[in-house]
Amino acid sequence: MSTNASTTTRTLLRAEGFSCPSCVNKIEKQIGRLKGVDSVKVQFSSARIEIDHDPTVVSVEDLVSAVAKAGYVARPSAF
């Protein structure tokens, strides 16, 4: 019997430097490319990024780096 014991974690980031709704697509696309990311949602009005991911595959630092590759700054957020 084979089981997939994948653990999904929700990480919240706060982004800085984006000023238009098209920026949301850039960030979502860059983070969504990472292996281990199940879903990503960027809320333009609050600059909040919600990512469901497997922390054994992709770290918070990887997520922050992906946002940087899209041209923006992000930091972990408690809420």
Side-chain angles (χ1 to χ4, degrees):
M1 181 168 80
S2 175
T3 60
N4 185 355
S6 175
T7 303
T8 300
T9 297
R10 175 164 286 179
T11 295
L12 302 176
L13 302 176
R14 291 282 180 184
E16 300 172 8
F18 65 90
S19 57
C20 62
S22 67
C23 300
V24 168
N25 293 332
K26 285 185 193 178
I27 294 169
E28 287 179 343
K29 186 181 283 188
Q30 193 67 39
I31 293 173
R33 291 178 179 157
L34 297 174
K35 185 177 179 181
V37 171
D38 294 328
S39 69
V40 56
K41 182 177 180 183
V42 178
Q43 297 178 0
F44 177 72
S45 61
S46 64
R48 180 175 161 154
I49 306 169
E50 299 175 5
I51 306 120
D52 292 330
H53 64 100
D54 182 342
T56 64
V57 177
V58 62
S59 69
V60 173
E61 292 80 17
D62 295 331
L63 300 172
V64 170
S65 292
V67 175
K69 283 183 183 179
Y72 308 97
V73 176
R75 292 180 174 75
S77 175
F79 47 91

